[in-house]
Amino acid sequence: MSHFADRRSRSLWMEVAVAPNAAPLQSDSECDVVVIGTGIAGISTAYELTIEGLRVTLIDRSDIAGGMTARTTAHLGSPCDDLISALIRLRGEDVSRLFHESQSAAIDRIEEVQNRESIECDFRRLDGYLFQALNTDSKIIDDELEAARKVGAHVHRLVGVPFSHCEQQHVLRYPRQGTFHPLKYLKALAAIVEAKGGTFHAGTVVESIEERDDGKVVVSTGGGKVVARAAVVATNSPIVDRFALHTKMAPYRTYAMAFSIRKDAIPDALYWDTLDPYHYVRLQPGEGQTDYVIVGGADHKSGEADDAEVRFQSLEAWARNLIPHVQDVTHRWSGQVLETIDYAGFIGRNPGNDNIYVHTGDSGQGMTHGVVGAMINSALILGRDAKWAEVYEPSRKTPAAVGNFIKENLTPLKNFAEYLAPGELSAVGDLKAGHGAIIRHGLSKIAAYRDEAGKLYARSAACTHIGCHLHWNSFETCWDCPCHGSHFAFDGTPLNAPAVSPLAGADIADQP
Ligand SMILES: Cc1cc2nc3c(=O)[nH]c(=O)nc-3n(C[C@H](O)[C@H](O)[C@H](O)COP(=O)(O)OP(=O)(O)OC[C@H]3O[C@@H](n4cnc5c(N)ncnc54)[C@H](O)[C@@H]3O)c2cc1C
Ligand code: FES
């Protein structure tokens, strides 16, 4: 086992800066469409609209493409990652077939765009292997084969993947999947959008989005307003819908790490196993004779564990057992995915609005969902036929998913009860440098962090979305909200939607 000294959360992609010159919004402006959020969903949507001649303004509170898209592992896979058989149980064969078709079309679209625009982003078509996890039976593979055939997927059943101990495992091979470097791809798309008159604003928090009586949409930020014919809310978790969509999805944290590996040590392919949560593996070209192998998994519901070291150790042990060629650990990071109760994202007109569109709930398939969403929302805005819109319709009801709905909505109920529990420490004086903890202060709970220099940051422990009790994440040095996925920096700045406002200050004296 390695002794990886770098404790930062840093993905393999983060060295690439997308639209690095984007400045904060500082005046009022007008455009055809305003896109809020600049991950794969936002930038892909802006690209689709820009090439149709629309003027698009994109706004992000952070760096451009600095959200979950910078933390992905970028498998471009068409089979539902919650299993096709599970999707059929909830949505039936017809919708599942359309889901599969749309995810395949997203890979096609990325291939087409990177070809047409001559983007060097390490895009490859390759096989995807779903393999039977060690010490499990092969029934999942049997069921999945039958389900894959029902939705018209190209699939082959075989035995063995090129990993140790896996020579006899049952496997499904899905041809013509894909992978790429997500930020190289988005950097090029952003440059095209800018060259055709689009504008990017980084460091600009969108505080509200309103639809006026004349149908125009007004997006307000601290630096000015943008008035547009339409707005697309691609903030990963929606800031436009306070409650309804959030009850139909749940945030899960997932972990990834990269190892150096000798070129050609394992075939270039996508691999994922049948466990829940599943392990996922892909390669990324490196320099000279070295590539990277990226391994991910070890998911848990956001905020329900703060043991990243243990999870990385278990991922590393799993990787070294199955792929003995892996060498040094080069990167480790984590991020969050939003799992909907019926496994497809919510994409389309925001319920109750005519000209506000939403994109969220893209599960472990946010790359392909991002591109499907761009195709659907741009078609709706352009007044064209939006193929696959019914699969992702945000206001849909899925009666068969009621079990998942109840399970996921127990989290907020349990969470509010935490306000009655004692703090993790009895006084701020007990808080060590570099640590965060919840401290009871009279009737309220304080989210307290002490930096390495000893400075105390004390904020309310109530999430500014709808008030859930936050949990400390020591690996990411942030506060996670288990209810709907907001993250806050140690000083209370929101990092991940749906929260928009910073944590309230807390009046507590330090006891150094
Ligand atoms: C470790 C990991 C591995 C993954 N692996 C895969 C994979 O292999 N394949 C796959 O398909 N998917 C994968 N995913 C999922 C995928 O990466 C995400 O679903 C996808 O990147 C989400 O893109 P997005 O554009 O919706 O959101 P983001 O990239 O998060 O973009 C949203 C943006 O909105 C901005 N924003 C939020 N609130 C505001 C506001 N109020 N004002 C202004 N801006 C705001 C944020 O700053 C952010 O930049 C993985 C995710 C993780 C974490
Ligand atoms: S994200 Fe909804 S209460 Fe925190």
Side-chain angles (χ1 to χ4, degrees):
M1 198 72 61
S2 74
H3 298 284
F4 188 58
D6 188 349
R7 298 182 60 82
R8 289 174 310 162
S9 175
R10 190 124 192 99
S11 80
L12 207 50
W13 328 117
M14 288 178 179
E15 277 122 55
V16 174
V18 179
N21 299 324
L25 182 69
Q26 285 176 329
S27 59
D28 294 349
S29 64
E30 291 206 21
C31 62
D32 294 319
V33 180
V34 55
V35 174
I36 302 131
T38 61
I40 185 145
I43 296 181
S44 302
T45 307
Y47 172 79
E48 298 295 347
L49 294 167
T50 301
I51 59 171
E52 294 295 333
L54 269 57
R55 238 171 357 110
V56 182
T57 298
L58 295 100
I59 304 178
D60 203 293
R61 74 165 150 218
S62 160
D63 295 337
I64 303 303
M68 289 308 147
T69 297
R71 293 167 178 265
T72 190
T73 53
H75 294 226
L76 302 174
S78 51
C80 174
D81 79 328
D82 291 288
L83 297 176
I84 304 172
S85 46
L87 184 66
I88 291 177
R89 273 197 294 282
L90 295 186
R91 307 271 324 256
E93 274 178 42
D94 291 345
V95 169
S96 301
R97 188 174 306 110
L98 292 173
F99 176 92
H100 191 84
E101 186 184 293
S102 65
Q103 299 287 322
S104 301
I107 309 174
D108 294 346
R109 184 65 182 152
I110 294 171
E111 180 176 39
E112 185 186 349
V113 169
Q114 59 90 39
N115 264 332
R116 189 169 74 187
E117 309 288 1
S118 307
I119 301 173
E120 289 183 11
C121 60
D122 309 319
F123 177 86
R124 285 100 72 204
R125 285 285 189 176
L126 32 67
D127 288 339
Y129 294 97
L130 169 65
F131 67 99
Q132 176 195 2
L134 297 179
N135 306 317
T136 64
D137 76 28
S138 58
K139 183 166 178 343
I140 295 184
I141 296 289
D142 299 335
D143 293 349
E144 209 47 13
L145 176 64
E146 196 184 327
R149 287 185 172 147
K150 281 183 184 160
V151 300
H154 297 294
V155 60
H156 306 272
R157 189 180 176 134
L158 33 120
V159 175
V161 280
F163 293 166
S164 294
H165 320 296
C166 294
E167 298 77 6
Q168 299 306 319
Q169 299 307 98
H170 292 250
V171 180
L172 296 184
R173 178 171 73 86
Y174 293 95
R176 287 185 62 71
Q177 306 297 297
T179 196
F180 67 161
H181 186 308
L183 294 198
K184 284 186 186 170
Y185 177 73
L186 292 178
K187 186 180 174 76
L189 286 201
I192 295 163
V193 169
E194 281 184 313
K196 291 183 185 290
T199 313
F200 283 81
H201 293 288
T204 304
V205 180
V206 169
E207 292 161 358
S208 68
I209 305 157
E210 285 166 52
E211 199 169 71
R212 292 193 316 215
D213 291 345
D214 66 359
K216 292 236 168 142
V217 179
V218 183
V219 168
S220 302
T221 78
K225 291 184 194 305
V226 180
V227 178
R229 274 167 42 202
V232 180
V233 182
T235 49
N236 191 236
S237 180
I239 56 169
V240 74
D241 183 305
R242 211 157 160 71
F243 204 66
L245 288 179
H246 293 290
T247 62
K248 297 194 285 182
M249 57 188 184
Y252 283 79
R253 191 165 278 281
T254 180
Y255 297 81
M257 56 201 304
F259 302 81
S260 51
I261 191 167
R262 182 175 42 78
K263 226 174 243 316
D264 303 326
I266 56 170
D268 191 12
L270 308 181
Y271 306 89
W272 66 105
D273 69 13
T274 51
L275 289 180
D276 181 16
Y278 57 89
H279 295 96
Y280 44 99
V281 180
R282 63 160 282 194
L283 289 165
Q284 170 63 18
E287 299 292 322
Q289 284 311 300
T290 306
D291 280 345
Y292 297 98
V293 60
I294 304 170
V295 177
D299 311 8
H300 60 80
K301 209 159 180 191
S302 290
E304 289 193 350
D306 182 25
D307 55 0
E309 282 308 322
V310 175
R311 286 172 199 267
F312 283 124
Q313 279 168 20
S314 109
L315 275 182
E316 184 173 350
W318 183 87
R320 291 193 186 283
N321 185 32
L322 268 65
I323 319 172
H325 321 277
V326 299
Q327 297 165 0
D328 297 333
V329 177
T330 60
H331 300 74
R332 303 191 314 176
W333 68 98
S334 78
Q336 183 172 274
V337 295
L338 292 165
E339 293 287 348
T340 69
I341 57 170
D342 66 4
Y343 310 140
F346 298 115
I347 297 163
R349 269 195 187 83
N350 189 48
N353 291 118
D354 291 328
N355 295 316
I356 301 178
Y357 299 81
V358 71
H359 178 113
T360 189
D362 34 21
S363 182
Q365 289 178 285
M367 294 287 110
T368 40
H369 264 87
V371 176
V372 174
M375 293 193 276
I376 293 175
N377 279 334
S378 61
L380 291 173
I381 290 168
L382 292 161
R384 297 181 182 162
D385 179 32
K387 212 173 167 196
W388 312 300
E390 66 175 289
V391 178
Y392 301 96
E393 167 54 45
S395 61
R396 70 180 181 268
K397 304 257 182 303
T398 309
V402 67
N404 285 345
F405 177 84
I406 293 169
K407 184 184 96 187
E408 299 298 10
N409 281 287
L410 286 176
T411 298
L413 291 180
K414 282 193 295 186
N415 179 280
F416 278 103
E418 290 177 36
Y419 281 106
L420 303 173
E424 291 159 348
L425 294 177
S426 48
V428 282
D430 297 338
L431 189 61
K432 295 198 188 96
H435 287 247
I438 298 290
I439 295 170
R440 175 166 286 292
H441 183 55
L443 289 178
S444 52
K445 288 286 200 64
I446 308 290
Y449 170 72
R450 193 181 295 287
D451 71 14
E452 296 294 349
K455 182 174 174 194
L456 178 71
Y457 296 82
R459 301 286 182 267
S460 161
C463 174
T464 56
H465 177 224
I466 55 166
C468 281
H469 187 296
L470 300 175
H471 291 188
W472 180 241
N473 179 332
S474 46
F475 176 64
E476 297 289 346
T477 328
C478 73
W479 297 99
D480 285 351
C481 183
C483 291
H484 317 110
S486 295
H487 304 154
F488 298 86
F490 59 81
D491 65 355
T493 306
L495 298 174
N496 205 66
V500 170
S501 312
L503 296 177
D507 190 12
I508 185 168
D510 197 2
Q511 305 153 338

